[in-house]
């Protein structure tokens, strides 16, 4: 009996250590991906070629982080046979890193667009201010989502969902402005399309950060809020 | 001892039945999502309003399917404590349904673009033939990926990855043509942008189908090929 308790505690401590390692790695991956976006948006504004290449080159590191964490999650399930909340924690990680990896992809896409725009040696383009603005919101959403993950706090989710609506609205506004811009000067249509894709990538980053914050609500509240409104999420979280 | 064996067999049979139910549901979800894309591409060509509304309305069904399968997967892990290949099977399902749900989202986006294009009562637009063509490839990729899932066959993966390259190439070609089209008639820029987003949604469907086929390689071969070339996948699969 005593042996069993000790054994259980031992297993539980090992499990905690495993989970801790996984969570640390997720946060590291999140921090790295956040840097990738920041640098990509920076590169879009200043066309720093060295930085562009570095962002594109870094993408395999993001991918490797995802693969490693995925492996660790499978190992923990097999070794520790987690149930209930512990299993939900691992499911949350598995979902979260998929979104982080795709945020990484979007950062790379922004860098590629920056490369195209500057390779063509085109003049200073408008809309960069707007893209920086929408990107600042998306990065803020990502930071909040990572923070919510670190503290297992479901309270940020409703706000992140509202910020995502704001990002979508700003994105539509950028498109409208780009259309006007293209109509005024059809020679700039190619570049405008590249900017449009960069804006689209930022908008997708917002979607992924939103997904991430919703997983935390599921983890802590056991309630799947992936397809419900911000108000409903607020009600769920305050229960 | 005998009891143990029987018990084990019993557990294993229950487990098989659980897995079978999950796999059936994934294939149903896949079939439904495939219909959604087909209808969306159809609606883009003929502007059938009723169909457009139905596609948008159906999206919650796709979401509900994802949530249900996710729940079943968690239940199976808790109840049956699967290891090795069985656990990989469940991980494959969890990843697959995320992609299927996002393919569903893309179908909805295509329908929304069709709605915008026809709401503005705009004339017959070019590029629909090209979008139908690229969509046919993407749908074929999805069907192959679902088939690979049904038969646990990793052999389709390399071809699907190559088809994805073809989709990307066709997408770039559509963009080039749309740019020319916009330059020739700037009044049609708005509609061209909507078509561009529809094409982008199709391109994303290809990405998701590619992801799905790569999970099967991981499942059967235990090798993560998410970020490697078609040639490398072929080598892995033939090992």
């Amino acid at each position: 009996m005593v042996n069993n308790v000790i054994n259980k505690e031992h297993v539980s401590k090992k499990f905690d250590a495993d989970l801790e390692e996984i969570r640390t790695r997720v946060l590291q991956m999140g921090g790295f991906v956040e840097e990738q976006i920041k640098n990509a948006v920076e590169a879009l504004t200043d066309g720093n070629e060295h930085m562009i290449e570095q962002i594109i080159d870094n993408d395999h590191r993001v991918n490797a982080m995802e693969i490693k964490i995925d492996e660790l999650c499978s190992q923990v399930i097999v070794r520790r046979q987690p149930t209930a909340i512990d299993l939900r924690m691992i499911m949350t990680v598995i979902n979260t890193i998929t979104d982080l990896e795709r945020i990484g992809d979007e950062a790379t896409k922004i860098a590629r667009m920056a490369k195209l725009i500057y390779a063509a040696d085109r003049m200073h383009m408008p809309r960069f201010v707007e893209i920086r603005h929408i990107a600042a919101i998306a990065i803020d959403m990502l930071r909040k989502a990572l923070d919510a993950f670190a503290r297992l706090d479901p309270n940020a989710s409703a706000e992140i969902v509202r910020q995502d609506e704001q990002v979508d609205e700003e994105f539509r506004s950028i498109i409208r402005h780009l259309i006007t811009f293209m109509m005024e000067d059809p020679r700039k249509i190619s570049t405008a399309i590249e900017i449009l894709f960069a804006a689209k990538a930022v908008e997708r980053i917002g979607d992924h950060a939103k997904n991430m914050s919703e997983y935390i609500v599921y983890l802590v509240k056991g309630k799947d809020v992936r397809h419900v409104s911000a108000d409903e999420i607020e009600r769920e979280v305050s229960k």
Side-chain angles (χ1 to χ4, degrees), chain A residues 35-216:
Chain A
E35 275 309 300
Q36 286 279 92
I37 313 169
K38 277 187 192 163
N39 290 340
V41 174
E42 199 62 38
L44 197 62
T45 322
D46 65 15
N48 182 330
E49 271 178 58
H50 176 68
M51 194 183 267
I52 290 171
E53 291 307 330
Q54 201 170 34
I55 295 162
I56 295 169
D57 204 51
N58 275 341
D59 193 47
H60 77 273
R61 290 180 59 188
V62 176
N63 300 341
M65 287 176 187
E66 185 197 14
I67 290 173
K68 181 67 194 171
I69 297 170
D70 246 348
E71 272 175 23
L72 289 173
C73 286
S74 288
Q75 281 171 16
V76 165
I77 295 179
V78 170
R79 283 192 205 146
R80 317 281 176 225
Q81 308 196 321
T83 54
I85 180 73
D86 292 333
L87 180 60
R88 284 217 299 267
M89 177 73 214
I90 293 167
M91 291 299 160
T92 303
V93 168
I94 292 171
N95 284 321
T96 298
I97 58 175
T98 303
D99 282 286
L100 283 178
E101 190 269 333
R102 288 176 192 176
I103 291 177
D105 284 347
E106 300 301 336
T108 312
K109 281 182 201 166
I110 297 169
R112 284 187 209 282
M113 288 306 140
K115 194 173 176 176
L116 283 174
I117 291 167
Y118 289 94
D121 195 26
R122 291 175 195 131
M123 66 240 73
H124 177 73
M125 290 288 301
R127 306 280 77 87
F128 283 155
V129 175
E130 286 176 355
I131 290 190
R132 289 179 81 96
H133 177 61
I134 193 178
I137 305 173
I139 291 168
D140 186 54
M141 289 168 70
L142 173 61
R143 208 177 291 136
K144 280 193 186 120
L146 287 169
D147 204 42
F149 177 85
R151 297 184 292 117
L152 299 184
D153 175 8
N155 286 298
S157 183
E159 196 191 336
I160 293 173
V161 170
R162 286 201 185 93
Q163 281 183 301
D164 191 47
E165 286 161 15
Q166 198 188 340
V167 165
D168 291 350
E169 184 47 56
E170 300 259 352
F171 174 67
R172 283 189 291 269
S173 160
I174 291 174
I175 301 304
R176 281 194 300 271
H177 290 151
L178 282 172
I179 289 173
T180 310
F181 177 76
M182 286 187 266
M183 284 175 144
E184 280 166 9
D185 189 351
R187 288 166 307 166
K188 288 184 187 154
I189 288 176
S190 278
T191 308
I193 297 291
E194 283 148 12
I195 295 172
L196 183 152
F197 282 132
K200 178 79 186 156
V202 173
E203 185 261 335
R204 296 289 303 159
I205 290 169
D207 289 343
H208 290 298
K210 174 172 160 268
N211 294 341
M212 287 168 57
S213 79
E214 288 168 349
Y215 305 145
I216 305 299

